[in-house]
Amino acid sequence: MFKKLGCQVVYLEMPWGRLLKELKAGKIDLIPEASFTESRAKIYQYSIAYREIKVVFYSLKKIMKKQQENSLISYLDSGLKVGYLRQGYYGPNFENLKKMRVTAIY
């Protein structure tokens, strides 16, 4: 796609938070797989979707097999430790539950 446009692409790998800072500062031009949020839309322009994904949890098989119910609430209620990107966005359900249930951020 970029070749057809005559663009040279340089790929830079870095943590999510730094990507957002670099984009805001104009030091990089694009970030793939960004979820839409109102606060981001005030600063950034979104492209059309280039792929659709399902957002799921993944874990060691032995952990998932112990769960009676396969839902976000059941995972959080069971006391499992949930890791996530500090500045990532996982949808409104996760954000609401995270606000109510997070006891520690490492």
Side-chain angles (χ1 to χ4, degrees):
M1 172 176 78
F2 293 112
K3 207 174 210 181
K4 287 181 182 178
L5 295 172
C7 297
Q8 179 184 3
V9 178
V10 176
Y11 294 93
L12 302 170
E13 183 178 339
M14 60 187 74
W16 182 251
R18 192 173 326 144
L19 281 171
L20 291 174
K21 287 178 187 175
E22 298 289 303
L23 181 64
K24 191 173 184 178
K27 294 180 180 178
I28 61 173
D29 301 307
L30 298 170
I31 298 176
E33 292 193 36
S35 297
F36 179 87
T37 67
E38 293 294 335
S39 61
R40 289 180 189 164
K42 291 176 184 175
I43 302 168
Y44 309 113
Q45 178 67 44
Y46 285 88
S47 71
I48 59 168
Y50 63 90
R51 97 178 218 203
E52 296 209 17
I53 61 169
K54 288 184 180 181
V55 179
V56 298
F57 282 107
Y58 61 100
S59 177
L60 295 173
K61 289 182 180 184
K62 65 182 181 180
I63 301 294
M64 289 295 198
K65 287 180 180 177
K66 289 180 183 177
Q67 292 303 114
Q68 300 296 318
E69 188 182 332
N70 190 8
S71 73
L72 177 58
I73 292 173
S74 71
Y75 294 140
L76 298 177
D77 281 346
S78 68
L80 294 176
K81 294 178 184 173
V82 179
Y84 59 94
L85 292 172
R86 190 173 286 147
Q87 292 175 310
Y89 180 73
Y90 303 94
N93 291 340
F94 185 84
E95 293 301 309
N96 290 334
L97 289 170
K98 188 173 70 173
K99 286 176 189 171
M100 294 183 326
R101 298 167 194 264
V102 167
T103 57
I105 297 177
Y106 300 95

